[in-house]
Amino acid sequence: MARKTKAEAALTRDRIVTCARQVFSREGVTNTSLETVAKEAGVTRGAVYWHFRDKADLFMAVRQQTGTLLRFDDFRTGDALERLEAGLQAALDRLRTDRQALETYEVMLWKCEYVGAFASVRKDLMSASSLFLTEVTEFYGEAVRMKLASADLDPALAARETLCFYAGLLKLWLADENGVTVRAEVRQLITQHVARRRLQKAV
Amino acid sequence: MARKTKAEAALTRDRIVTCARQVFSREGVTNTSLETVAKEAGVTRGAVYWHFRDKADLFMAVRQQTGTLLRFDDFRTGDALERLEAGLQAALDRLRTDRQALETYEVMLWKCEYVGAFASVRKDLMSASSLFLTEVTEFYGEAVRMKLASADLDPALAARETLCFYAGLLKLWLADENGVTVRAEVRQLITQHVARRRLQKAV
DNA sequence: AGATTTACATACAGACATGTATGTAAATCT
DNA sequence: AGATTTACATACATGTCTGTATGTAAATCT
């Protein structure tokens, strides 16, 4: 077949990744055949196997294309607890407004089996959790030092609770299609969660 | 083949369910073939198809065999917050001590794609979440009435936060094989989560 | 300008899973 | 005791997916 320009090839690759995400989210990772992805992208499996080693590799590309939801570095203003809340709110905001992010995370949390080649992805997720813990522990440490939070707040333990809260919130938010469980009140939920750690400000 | 007694047949069915759970947890639901399950159980696919319509049906049986983790009704002593905590602790205790429960929940949370015939299972899980909300909202309502918690604690909102916490805790606990993220401190985590809702008892 | 890659499409070979149809001997029913 | 189910095992028919091998015309390199 006629060889494509490097730029065209990059576009093809990107189309494959985008379509893979959509098919994954419709049919689940294990059930999607590379044939389906290829057709959706207007190419053949030849193109898919040219750009990616196998389905697991393609899955990694889907994750990378979307990137990470939570980026506390984006928030530099306000006290530690305000920055923590801003980061969490922004993550959930992105799910609400960015369809790509929504699809990717729905695949990761509800439509993927972490087995075989995908077991390593689960370890990745746990590494991300460890990073989360480090960052949030830092926030709580600062909050205690600045007297925003009670002196007997254990930063590491509180961070773990926040991690659980966040993980569960993501998972439930994605599944809560009619909004009755958590979707309608995400904002308040996050605000309240952080506020509960603040001194003298029971909610 | 020689017909089995009703009792023998029931044993066969149970063996199939047990083996299905193990294979699911090893290979993921989508990747397990009924042939593998059958072999593991010492029968042929004929037996599997006799007892179950298809893989989804078998999956339901696996869930039913294990039952539900969280049963607040088991705890009748203590105040509302104590009963809530006892329920949560018991659920995580069961994961720790009951291998069957552990396998089932690992399958449900990490090794199953909620797509196609399994989409309805996700709705089941969300229904269970609604029930959780009802029960926990009741606990918090009682806590407020009994002055265990601040009067401006919103029971419904607090219950949603607890739901997120619990969902995330389960998921992370199951993935945290080396215990660094949450497994080592589950007990404290739960205690702290509930305690934070109690008046005058910051942790 | 010629040599070499590249970016795919096409073709091939094999494995594997599913659902159903059929067979059968013993358990259960009447 | 005979008729009927039952609890499977066996056999069949079919579809689907994977990975690789090969072909090819145009980009890119020198």
Side-chain angles (χ1 to χ4, degrees):
Chain A
M1 199 227 179
R3 178 180 174 187
K4 300 289 179 61
T5 294
K6 276 187 185 176
E8 288 174 321
L11 286 182
T12 300
R13 194 193 121 104
D14 215 64
R15 249 189 4 258
I16 293 174
V17 174
T18 297
C19 292
R21 170 166 31 84
Q22 292 167 356
V23 179
F24 285 166
S25 98
R26 278 207 320 265
E27 317 192 352
V29 174
T30 313
N31 274 319
T32 66
S33 70
L34 297 185
E35 172 75 25
T36 306
V37 173
K39 262 185 188 157
E40 202 107 342
V43 294
T44 67
R45 270 170 55 240
V48 176
Y49 276 101
W50 171 257
H51 287 286
F52 308 96
R53 240 166 68 89
D54 52 19
K55 200 200 286 180
D57 193 28
L58 178 54
F59 179 77
M60 300 300 188
V62 167
R63 289 186 57 208
Q64 258 198 330
Q65 196 191 49
T66 294
T68 179
L69 262 193
L70 205 52
R71 304 231 316 285
F72 289 117
D73 332 356
D74 290 354
F75 303 93
R76 289 285 178 198
T77 71
D79 66 39
L81 295 180
E82 283 167 354
R83 291 187 330 259
L84 169 61
E85 184 185 342
L88 296 176
Q89 295 284 11
L92 272 295
D93 271 347
R94 175 139 185 241
L95 280 192
R96 218 179 297 131
T97 58
D98 181 348
R99 189 186 174 125
Q100 170 180 350
L102 181 132
E103 284 172 351
T104 301
Y105 277 82
E106 210 196 340
V107 168
M108 285 175 43
L109 297 187
W110 287 104
K111 286 153 183 197
C112 179
E113 297 177 3
Y114 293 91
V115 164
F118 291 83
S120 66
V121 180
R122 191 168 90 168
K123 300 204 166 168
D124 271 21
L125 295 180
M126 293 312 278
S127 299
S129 293
S130 288
L131 182 59
F132 181 103
L133 281 184
T134 304
E135 296 183 301
V136 176
T137 301
E138 186 51 41
F139 279 130
Y140 287 139
E142 184 182 332
V144 169
R145 287 196 304 276
M146 307 294 273
K147 316 273 187 193
L148 303 170
S150 163
D152 54 3
L153 179 91
D154 176 346
L157 195 62
R160 270 156 237 270
E161 194 193 337
T162 298
L163 171 61
C164 293
F165 167 71
Y166 175 66
L169 182 61
L170 272 190
K171 182 137 185 156
L172 292 167
W173 192 93
L174 287 167
D176 184 26
E177 283 167 12
N178 29 17
V180 294
T181 309
V182 296
R183 213 176 260 210
E185 316 188 65
V186 213
R187 239 168 226 299
Q188 289 179 66
L189 267 171
I190 295 175
T191 300
Q192 180 208 37
H193 176 83
V194 177
R196 214 185 286 290
R197 274 136 190 85
R198 202 180 280 278
L199 256 177
Q200 312 293 51
K201 227 184 164 185
V203 171
Chain B
M1 198 221 181
R3 178 178 174 186
K4 300 288 179 60
T5 296
K6 276 187 187 179
E8 288 174 320
L11 286 182
T12 300
R13 194 194 120 103
D14 215 63
R15 246 185 12 254
I16 292 174
V17 174
T18 297
C19 292
R21 169 165 34 83
Q22 292 166 357
V23 180
F24 285 165
S25 96
R26 277 207 322 266
E27 317 193 351
V29 175
T30 312
N31 274 319
T32 68
S33 70
L34 297 186
E35 171 75 27
T36 306
V37 172
K39 263 185 187 157
E40 202 105 342
V43 295
T44 67
R45 273 169 53 241
V48 177
Y49 277 101
W50 170 256
H51 287 287
F52 308 96
R53 238 166 68 90
D54 52 21
K55 200 200 285 180
D57 192 30
L58 179 53
F59 179 77
M60 301 299 190
V62 167
R63 290 186 57 208
Q64 257 200 329
Q65 196 191 48
T66 293
T68 180
L69 265 191
L70 205 52
R71 304 231 316 284
F72 289 118
D73 332 355
D74 289 354
F75 303 93
R76 289 282 178 202
T77 69
D79 64 40
L81 295 180
E82 283 167 355
R83 288 182 339 254
L84 169 61
E85 182 183 344
L88 296 175
Q89 296 283 11
L92 271 294
D93 271 346
R94 177 141 183 238
L95 280 191
R96 215 180 298 130
T97 57
D98 180 349
R99 191 189 173 121
Q100 171 180 349
L102 182 131
E103 285 172 351
T104 300
Y105 276 82
E106 211 197 339
V107 169
M108 285 176 43
L109 298 187
W110 288 102
K111 285 150 181 200
C112 179
E113 297 177 3
Y114 293 91
V115 164
F118 291 83
S120 67
V121 180
R122 192 168 89 167
K123 300 204 167 169
D124 271 20
L125 295 180
M126 293 313 279
S127 299
S129 293
S130 288
L131 182 59
F132 180 102
L133 281 184
T134 304
E135 295 183 301
V136 176
T137 300
E138 185 51 42
F139 280 130
Y140 287 141
E142 183 181 332
V144 170
R145 287 196 303 276
M146 306 293 274
K147 315 271 188 196
L148 303 170
S150 163
D152 52 5
L153 178 92
D154 176 345
L157 195 62
R160 270 157 237 267
E161 194 192 337
T162 298
L163 171 61
C164 292
F165 167 72
Y166 175 67
L169 182 62
L170 273 190
K171 182 135 185 161
L172 291 166
W173 193 94
L174 288 166
D176 185 27
E177 284 165 12
N178 29 19
V180 294
T181 309
V182 297
R183 214 176 261 208
E185 316 188 64
V186 214
R187 239 168 224 299
Q188 289 179 66
L189 267 170
I190 295 174
T191 301
Q192 181 207 38
H193 176 85
V194 177
R196 215 185 285 290
R197 274 137 189 84
R198 201 180 280 279
L199 255 178
Q200 311 293 50
K201 227 184 165 185
V203 171

